[in-house]
Amino acid sequence: MTHAFASLLVAGALDTLTFWSLSFMIAAGLTVVFGMLGFLNAAHTAFYMLAGYAAYAIVRHTGSFWLALALAPVIVALIGVAVERLLFTRLYRASHASQLLLTIGLAYIIAEGAKIIWGDSAFTVAPPPILAGRFSLLGATLPIYHLFIISVALVLLCVISVLLVGTRLGMVVRAAAVYPEMVGALGFKVRTIYTLVFAVGLFLAACAGVVMAPLAGVYPGMADDALVQSFIIVVAGGLGSLPGAFIVAGLLGVVQGFGSVFFSSYAIFFPFIVLGGVLLVRPHGLFGGRAA
Amino acid sequence: MSELPTLHLSRIAKSFGSGPVLQDVNLSLQSGERRGLIGPNGAGKTTLINIITGGLAPDSGDVFFQGQRITGLSPYRRNRIGIGRSFQILSLFGEMTVRENLRNALLRHRGLHVLPWRAAARLAPIEDEVAQAAELVGLGDVLKARVDTLPYGMQRRLDIALVLAQEPALVVLDEPAAGLSGAETRDLIDLLQTRLGDRTLLLVEHDMDVVYSLSDRITVLDYGRVLAEGSPAEISANSDVRRVYLGEDAA
C-alpha cells in the first residue's frame, strides 16, 4: 500500500515539474512583454501553436525531431518579429482594448490559417527513440520524455538568466525594463530592445510548442487551452512579474500534477481555484504591487 | 561654427487635450552658456525639455542643435549627437550597482555595444573611465553599492554623473535639486560649477539659489510663453517676474 502511494507521489511530482516547465515557458514571454511594453498579446499562444504545427511538418518531412526543435522556434520567433514590427508597435501606446482587438483577431487568423493548411484533426508527433522509453523510480514507471521537457526548460532558463545577468546586452535590457526613457536618453535604441525581448518571449513559447507536440499532440484548440492557462498565470502572478509567473506556474503544476492523480475528474477546475485563491488574498496578484 | 547657437528653438508650440502648453517659444543658447529656465508649476518647462530631448514632438516650430534641424529625431539619436539629460523623477537603475549604471552610460558612448554578447564584466577599456566618472561626483567609494541602497543625494549625483560621463555638448537637467537637503543642494551647486566645464547647460529648477548660482542667463516661462529673459540681476529686478513667479504683489 505505501509502495503504491510512493509511486503515485513520484508520478505526481514528475507531472508537476513537467507542467510547471511547459506553462512557465509559455507564460514567461506574455508577462514580460506586458511588463515592459504594456502590451497585452492575446495571440501569444497562437505562436506556440504555430510552433507545434511547424514541428509536426518538419518531423513529417525530415523525420527528425531534433531538427524541428532547432528550427521551429527560430522560424516562429522570426515571424513574431515581423508581426511585432508591422502591427504591434503601432499599438504600444494604445488602450488595452485596442491591443486585445488586434491580437485576438490575429489569433483567429493564425488558428484558421492552421486549419486551412493542416485541417481540423489532431496530429501526434513521435518523440525521438532515445526519449521514447520509460524509467523506474520508487516503483513507478515513468516516461523519459517528461524528464526531457524539464531539462529543456531548465537549460533555457539558465541560458537566459546568464545572458540577462552577465552580458552587456542583458544589462541594458534590465535597465530598459525599469526606465526605458532613461535608456533612450543614454543613447540606446529602446525599440530594438523591445523587439528582442518580444522575440525571446516567443522563442520560449515556441520551444514549449515543439516539446509539447510529442506529449499532447498538435491540435487546433491548443492555442486557446494554453492562452487560458497563461492568463491565469500572468494575472495571479501579478501582471508583468516574471517571478510571480514562475511561482504560479509551479502552483498550477502542483494542482495539475497531484490533482489529476488523486481527483482527476475535477482537474479542469483547479487552475481557476488557484486564480481565485490568489486574488482573494492579493487582488493585484502575487507580485502585482502596481495597479495595472 | 562658433556663431551657431548650441541650441536654438524657433516658434515652438505644443497643445495637449486641455489646451495650449507652449506658444511661440523662442530660445537660443550660445555654446558654453548656462541658462536657467524657471516658471511656476504648469508653465511648460518639462514639456519644453521633452521637446528639446525628443520625448515629445512640437505641434509647430523647430529645434536646432549646433545649426542642425533635429525636430523629428528620436531621443536616442539626440543623445548620440550630444544632448544629455536627466529626468525630474530620478531614473536610475536601482537594482544595479553604481558601477553598472555608469557602465550603461559609457557602454553606449564608447560604442562597445557592438559586442553585446560579450561579458559585462569584461569591459576593461572603460573600467578606468567608470571609476573616473564616479570619482568626479564623489562616488568613487561606493562603486559596488546597489543604487537603491544609497541616500537620495548620492543618487542624484550619480544621475548627473551618467549624463556627464557621455560628454554631451548640451546638458539638460530637469529639477536636479528637487528633494535635496540644504547641504546636498550646496554640494550639487559645487559639483556642477566645477564639473560642467565648457558644456552648455539648460537648467530647469525651482530652487532659486541653484538657478542664480549656476545661470549666466535666465528665461522665465509663464503659461507657455516666454515672459522674460535676462541676466540673473535683471530677472530678479523684473517686476513682471516678481509678480508672476516670485508671488510678490508689485502693485
Side-chain angles (χ1 to χ4, degrees):
Chain A
M1 193 63 204
T2 46
H3 221 72
F5 189 69
S7 71
L8 274 182
L9 275 186
V10 172
L14 191 67
D15 277 352
T16 297
L17 290 172
T18 308
F19 189 89
W20 189 350
S21 304
L22 285 166
S23 52
F24 182 67
M25 278 160 81
I26 299 169
L30 192 64
T31 200
V32 167
V33 163
F34 185 82
M36 276 184 82
L37 288 69
F39 187 77
L40 214 46
N41 181 13
H44 184 76
T45 56
F47 289 97
Y48 149 83
M49 179 186 74
L50 209 53
Y53 276 109
Y56 163 73
I58 293 170
V59 170
R60 209 180 124 201
H61 285 103
T62 69
S64 169
F65 175 80
W66 301 110
L67 192 65
L69 184 60
L71 279 186
V74 175
I75 295 170
V76 168
L78 287 177
I79 295 173
V81 166
V83 170
E84 192 255 359
R85 285 268 147 157
L86 287 174
L87 297 175
F88 294 171
T89 46
R90 294 164 201 269
L91 291 184
Y92 281 162
R93 292 184 181 183
S95 67
H96 292 321
S98 313
Q99 297 171 352
L100 282 175
L101 273 176
L102 173 71
T103 54
I104 289 174
L106 182 67
Y108 276 125
I109 291 170
I110 293 175
E112 288 305 309
K115 278 187 200 164
I116 289 170
I117 299 173
W118 289 289
D120 282 332
S121 44
F123 300 109
T124 51
V125 174
I130 193 171
L131 301 175
R134 301 177 84 85
F135 67 100
S136 294
L137 185 66
L138 296 173
T141 42
L142 305 160
I144 293 174
Y145 192 73
H146 282 50
L147 287 182
F148 170 69
I149 291 179
I150 297 163
S151 333
V152 168
L154 277 178
V155 167
L156 286 173
L157 288 185
C158 289
V159 168
I160 287 172
S161 309
V162 167
L163 289 178
L164 265 181
V165 175
T167 67
R168 298 165 186 185
L169 185 64
M171 197 165 72
V172 177
V173 169
R174 282 185 292 142
V178 190
Y179 286 117
E181 294 88 3
M182 184 66 178
V183 171
L186 289 177
F188 293 98
K189 194 172 178 183
V190 179
R191 227 185 88 116
T192 309
I193 298 173
Y194 284 164
T195 302
L196 180 79
V197 169
F198 200 89
V200 171
L202 286 186
F203 180 85
L204 277 180
C207 287
V210 175
V211 297
M212 189 71 165
L215 187 75
V218 180
Y219 56 99
M222 69 187 280
D224 297 337
D225 293 349
L227 189 64
V228 173
Q229 296 273 14
S230 300
F231 270 137
I232 289 174
I233 290 169
V234 170
V235 171
L239 293 166
S241 166
L242 203 54
F246 185 74
I247 290 171
V248 175
L251 282 178
L252 288 194
V254 171
V255 295
Q256 289 294 74
F258 288 98
S260 56
V261 171
F262 294 106
F263 319 93
S264 59
S265 48
Y266 301 105
I268 194 166
F269 294 114
F270 293 150
F272 298 98
I273 293 169
V274 169
L275 176 66
V278 168
L279 293 187
L280 269 179
V281 185
R282 292 189 61 87
H284 292 295
L286 282 183
F287 287 76
R290 290 173 292 180
Chain B
M1 265 313 271
S2 60
E3 291 143 26
L4 287 174
T6 296
L7 177 70
H8 180 67
L9 303 183
S10 161
R11 312 206 60 178
I12 296 290
K14 178 75 185 175
S15 295
F16 293 129
S18 50
V21 178
L22 294 171
Q23 301 176 64
D24 198 28
V25 172
N26 295 294
L27 189 71
S28 234
L29 270 66
Q30 298 309 311
S31 172
E33 180 182 344
R34 296 178 185 176
R35 178 71 63 98
L37 180 63
I38 63 173
N41 281 325
K45 304 183 297 288
T46 294
T47 303
L48 193 63
I49 283 191
N50 285 330
I51 285 172
I52 293 167
T53 55
L56 283 174
D59 296 338
S60 62
D62 273 308
V63 183
F64 297 89
F65 178 70
Q66 295 174 335
Q68 181 192 352
R69 183 172 168 276
I70 59 165
T71 315
L73 284 189
S74 50
Y76 80 94
R77 287 201 186 281
R78 295 191 199 204
N79 166 274
R80 292 183 189 182
I81 59 174
I83 301 179
R85 73 165 295 182
S86 77
F87 290 82
Q88 195 173 344
I89 297 165
L90 206 50
S91 304
L92 297 167
F93 313 118
E95 292 180 6
M96 300 187 186
T97 62
V98 170
R99 175 180 274 145
E100 286 174 314
N101 270 265
L102 283 164
R103 275 177 181 164
N104 269 340
L106 281 160
L107 190 63
R108 174 49 244 168
H109 181 56
R110 288 282 170 243
L112 291 171
H113 65 291
V114 294
L115 298 171
W117 55 88
R118 291 284 299 276
R122 285 201 209 117
L123 286 168
I126 63 166
E127 282 316 296
D128 288 348
E129 281 185 77
V130 165
Q132 260 172 32
E135 206 65 55
L136 218 60
V137 297
L139 295 177
D141 297 335
V142 290
L143 270 174
K144 289 178 188 164
R146 247 178 77 138
V147 168
D148 53 13
T149 65
L150 295 177
Y152 188 78
M154 283 178 134
Q155 293 193 21
R156 200 35 110 171
R157 293 218 296 277
L158 175 59
D159 190 40
I160 291 181
L162 291 189
V163 177
L164 294 183
Q166 296 193 317
E167 301 175 341
L170 172 64
V171 175
V172 181
L173 301 179
D174 194 355
E175 296 196 25
L180 296 186
S181 71
E184 287 170 339
T185 303
R186 280 189 293 282
D187 283 350
L188 178 79
I189 294 172
D190 278 352
L191 170 73
L192 288 172
Q193 272 171 345
T194 51
R195 301 303 181 197
L196 269 177
D198 55 2
R199 302 185 204 299
T200 311
L201 171 71
L202 181 64
L203 171 72
V204 167
E205 185 51 63
H206 278 298
D207 185 324
M208 293 309 289
D209 283 345
V210 179
V211 176
Y212 283 132
S213 309
L214 288 170
S215 308
D216 304 324
R217 288 176 73 74
I218 295 173
T219 298
V220 185
L221 273 188
D222 187 42
Y223 290 109
R225 290 175 180 277
V226 175
L227 177 76
E229 193 173 304
S231 69
E234 286 165 354
I235 292 299
S236 62
N238 184 312
S239 60
D240 281 345
V241 176
R242 294 176 78 90
R243 190 181 67 246
V244 167
Y245 184 60
L246 303 173
E248 286 183 20
D249 195 348

